[in-house]
Amino acid sequence: MSDAVARFREHWSHLHPDMDLTGMEAIGRVRRLAALANNRTDDALTDTGVSRPEFEILAALRRSPTGLRPRHLTRETISSGAATTKRLQRLEEAGLLTRTRIERDRRETLVRLTPEGRTLADTLFARQLGIDTDLLAPLNQDERTHLAALLARVLTPIDST
């Protein structure tokens, strides 16, 4: 069985036989899997009126029942502040979240889901979980658990959120 990264490795190994390509193989597959998974999620969201980055905001807010400040959402979703602001505005206009000024610091806002936003977040989360499960179908449960643990070991030292 061969994938695109295996083909890339084959070409690079001929060009640079002296180089260790295992890092490229692992990270290349992570990147390619992430891109393909994002494409599937994008496709699954087409009928919802919500983009994948907007779903990430809804999901972050759903995990935080007391709400979050925009800067926390920016960190959670690994986005720019400007992108977060644009997405929050769109989701607020759609009636999926509210932004209220924080009394003790009028410059800050607290973002919370509306009941409609909570319902949509739960619906979309279930859909996303199905996509993730389908993508991991070639692995058994023990392999999925092992893969998750290995990826956590790589991600933990570099994830600053």
Side-chain angles (χ1 to χ4, degrees):
M1 177 168 36
S2 179
D3 62 7
V5 176
R7 292 188 307 274
F8 304 156
R9 184 201 186 291
E10 181 66 23
H11 291 286
W12 281 115
S13 69
H14 291 299
L15 294 169
H16 297 285
D18 56 320
M19 290 185 172
D20 178 6
L21 301 176
T22 55
M24 181 210 74
E25 285 183 279
I27 299 302
R29 285 189 174 98
V30 168
R31 286 184 178 134
R32 192 157 177 87
L33 178 60
L36 294 169
N38 285 343
N39 288 345
R40 287 194 181 184
T41 298
D42 290 340
D43 291 346
L45 292 172
T46 56
D47 65 333
T48 68
V50 175
S51 68
R52 183 176 30 83
E54 291 168 345
F55 165 61
E56 291 172 2
I57 286 175
L58 295 175
L61 289 169
R62 186 65 175 112
R63 293 188 306 267
S64 180
T66 60
L68 291 170
R69 294 178 180 189
R71 63 187 157 98
H72 294 130
L73 284 165
T74 296
R75 278 199 311 260
E76 285 268 326
T77 59
I78 313 174
S79 299
S80 70
T84 299
T85 299
K86 180 181 172 185
R87 292 171 187 141
L88 290 176
Q89 181 177 349
R90 213 210 60 69
L91 291 168
E92 185 176 37
E93 289 170 359
L96 300 173
L97 59 82
T98 61
R99 294 185 282 181
T100 53
R101 293 264 176 229
I102 296 175
E103 284 300 317
R104 68 182 186 285
D105 184 354
R106 301 292 294 165
R107 296 170 297 172
E108 286 274 6
T109 60
L110 188 63
V111 183
R112 291 185 180 111
L113 290 176
T114 62
E116 295 82 10
R118 277 191 298 279
T119 299
L120 182 58
D122 287 344
T123 299
L124 296 180
F125 176 71
R127 191 179 290 187
Q128 182 62 51
L129 200 55
I131 291 167
D132 295 347
T133 299
D134 288 347
L135 286 169
L136 294 174
L139 304 178
N140 66 39
Q141 188 60 46
D142 288 342
E143 290 168 328
R144 291 177 192 194
T145 301
H146 190 145
L147 176 62
L150 291 172
L151 291 171
R153 280 182 49 197
V154 173
L155 185 60
T156 299
I158 60 173
D159 191 356
S160 61
T161 54

